Amino acid sequence: MKILVTGAAGYIGSHTLVELANAGYEFVVYDNLSNSSKESINRVSKIIGKDILFEQGDIRDTKRVQEVFEKYDIDWVIHFAGLKAVGESVEKPLEYYDNNVIGTIRLLEVMKEYNCKKIVFSSSATVYDEKSPYNYTPLRETDPTGDTTNPYGTSKYMIERILNDLYISDNEFKIVILRYFNPVGAYESGTIGEDPSGVPNNLMPYISQTAVGKREFLSVFGDDYDTKDGTGVRDYIHVVDLADAHVKAIDYINSDKFNANISIFNIGTGFGYSVLKMIKAYERASNKQVPYKIVPRRSGDIAVCYADSSLAKEVLGWEATRDLEAMCRDSWKWQSNNPDGYKEKKCNNAKK
Ligand code: NAD
Ligand code: WQD
């Protein structure tokens, strides 16, 4: 029995493959490579010491997904495939709803057809209400959701609702929704990592590209928030800890403990770090300067967002174990060894 892992050539999926292999699970990767490169799969293959079953295709292509279900005995799906750039989703809402929402519906239809009814879905902290009074306290799974501010966030919220309705219609479905906070870092070998195309939107890849000399300076979006140093605070989580949460979710689905009423989990560390703290930590880990300028707030940003992940600890037996130092160290190892991501392997002037 195999796990179909959609979107596994991407950042979080590729790290999850390593943890799945370590736990003895077998899998097939399904990805259209719209935001990734096959090289990530080659690198994962080297880490785990065996070939990986890879099928290129789009989740919206029903015939192609059916072919994959015909070819392999698939028992579970871990569904990472999706578009994730918040700003781009505002410019291209139809593309985001088509890819993320329609894509998920097409995938679920084929799963149902082949009687495959176990799924772990990549959701996001972005589904929580942005204007929530809870923003200054750790977010809990029961906090209000749905008052999203961009089509990307709305697409994740819609998929959560669709999965919920699917379960109501068919109780055989076993669904786990993981709401990730801010994934950062890389596998400790530095051979796989985050490879954003173009100018990074997220803080950590922007910091790492500045440290390696690809960007002149980092723009810090606002220093007038109601936080200790005035900059935004987020719950950054090491991608390997996040990957491990997927293994725990699959274990949970397989266990007698599985309870459909407890199937949404926050995956964060429970600690919030400000932008300035992140810059300092990265400078320490990389031994490089990260020049920055304070600029106006980015529209749509909130001051503070961090997780209460106690439910994941209690039910899944999962908790984050890697600290900020490890996040920055591993990110730097990846960035300095692969300044152009998967396109080029080495950078001569980067400190190893
Ligand atoms: P990523 O872009 O690196 O990986 C997504 C993968 O999905 C890519 O390899 C892409 O080629 C593939 N893909 C996209 N649309 C597809 C389609 N229609 N058919 C087949 N493959 C398709 O992103 P990531 O950071 O690894 O994120 C993985 C998932 O986690 C996404 O669903 C994302 O929304 C979610 N998530 C990410 C973050 C984050 O900050 N990285 C936070 C919360 C949730
Ligand atoms: C973190 C902090 C910025 C860039 C986004 C999505 C969310 C999820 C994770 C997918 C904030 C500040 C950033 C920069 C900065 N993705 N910042 N300069 O906004 O918490 O969440 O990624 O699901 O849905 O919204 O993450 O990394 O963009 O920002 O000062 O160049 O860094 O203002 O305080 P965010 P981020």
Side-chain angles (χ1 to χ4, degrees):
M1 294 300 232
K2 292 184 173 40
I3 306 174
L4 180 71
V5 193
T6 73
Y11 174 44
I12 303 167
S14 55
H15 288 81
T16 301
L17 297 181
V18 177
E19 300 312 305
L20 287 172
N22 288 342
Y25 284 109
E26 294 194 3
F27 49 77
V28 183
V29 171
Y30 187 77
D31 199 303
N32 67 1
L33 302 179
S34 60
N35 194 39
S36 51
S37 124
K38 180 87 194 302
E39 178 60 14
S40 67
I41 299 297
N42 299 338
R43 304 252 186 123
V44 172
S45 177
K46 280 200 187 116
I47 295 171
I48 66 175
K50 59 178 183 188
D51 289 344
I52 290 175
L53 300 168
F54 176 79
E55 298 287 342
Q56 187 165 346
D58 194 294
I59 49 169
R60 292 163 294 184
D61 183 347
T62 298
K63 243 182 107 197
R64 183 77 186 103
V65 181
Q66 283 168 330
E67 271 169 27
V68 173
F69 272 82
E70 283 291 334
K71 190 164 166 189
Y72 306 97
D73 205 354
I74 291 165
D75 200 26
W76 308 270
V77 173
I78 303 181
H79 179 31
F80 292 107
L83 299 175
K84 63 163 181 178
V86 170
E88 187 184 59
S89 78
V90 177
E91 285 156 31
K92 302 175 180 171
L94 300 182
E95 229 173 86
Y96 270 68
Y97 290 124
D98 180 49
N99 196 83
N100 293 3
V101 182
I102 306 287
T104 301
I105 293 173
R106 292 289 95 88
L107 174 70
L108 291 167
E109 284 166 351
V110 180
M111 286 177 64
K112 217 169 145 56
E113 185 185 336
Y114 284 82
N115 207 30
C116 170
K117 296 186 176 176
K118 298 173 197 162
I119 183 167
V120 178
F121 172 64
S122 304
S123 190
S124 166
T126 198
V127 300
Y128 288 111
D129 286 5
E130 303 262 327
K131 293 176 222 77
S132 164
Y134 305 96
N135 279 340
Y136 283 88
T137 55
L139 286 157
R140 303 199 57 162
E141 290 83 353
T142 46
D143 285 342
T145 54
D147 187 13
T148 45
T149 57
N150 58 76
Y152 167 72
T154 311
S155 75
K156 290 288 168 188
Y157 174 70
M158 285 169 141
I159 297 166
E160 286 200 5
R161 292 295 302 264
I162 289 167
L163 288 169
N164 186 57
D165 289 341
L166 181 65
Y167 170 74
I168 291 170
S169 75
D170 181 347
N171 286 183
E172 283 178 4
F173 264 95
K174 292 186 171 181
I175 298 166
V176 169
I177 292 171
L178 301 180
R179 290 181 181 154
Y180 315 155
F181 279 65
N182 292 55
V184 296
Y187 188 64
E188 59 180 12
S189 63
T191 53
I192 56 172
E194 188 170 11
D195 184 17
S197 47
V199 181
N201 301 305
N202 295 116
L203 179 67
M204 194 67 151
Y206 209 107
I207 290 182
S208 62
Q209 291 194 6
T210 308
V212 86
K214 284 187 77 176
R215 313 261 162 220
E216 207 183 326
F217 63 89
L218 168 79
S219 296
V220 174
F221 298 141
D223 66 350
D224 55 352
Y225 285 106
D226 187 11
T227 61
K228 252 189 192 160
D229 63 21
T231 64
V233 168
R234 296 290 183 275
D235 186 336
Y236 297 94
I237 173 163
H238 197 296
V239 67
V240 177
D241 279 331
L242 176 56
D244 179 45
H246 296 79
V247 177
K248 298 285 197 300
I250 292 280
D251 291 345
Y252 175 57
I253 285 181
N254 287 339
S255 75
D256 298 339
K257 281 194 322 183
F258 181 81
N259 174 350
N261 296 320
I262 317 174
S263 60
I264 301 182
F265 299 97
N266 282 339
I267 304 295
T269 64
F271 298 105
Y273 292 103
S274 72
V275 177
L276 295 183
K277 269 232 152 84
M278 294 300 286
I279 295 172
K280 292 297 158 220
Y282 210 92
E283 288 185 331
R284 274 198 306 277
S286 63
N287 211 13
K288 295 276 178 191
Q289 290 278 306
V290 179
Y292 68 88
K293 289 183 189 169
I294 307 290
V295 302
R297 291 179 180 194
R298 181 172 66 180
S299 123
D301 271 355
I302 52 171
V304 178
C305 175
Y306 65 110
D308 178 338
S309 290
S310 51
L311 191 66
K313 185 175 178 186
E314 186 190 317
V315 178
L316 300 181
W318 174 89
E319 70 182 318
T321 59
R322 291 162 181 83
D323 62 11
L324 183 58
E325 198 188 325
M327 297 179 210
C328 295
R329 182 196 62 221
D330 296 338
S331 158
W332 176 243
K333 192 156 188 194
W334 156 253
Q335 182 66 64
S336 54
N337 283 332
N338 306 272
D340 294 315
Y342 289 111
K343 285 184 208 93
E344 209 182 287
K345 281 185 188 158
K346 292 270 176 235
C347 172
N348 296 331
N349 57 10
K351 197 172 178 295
K352 303 274 152 51

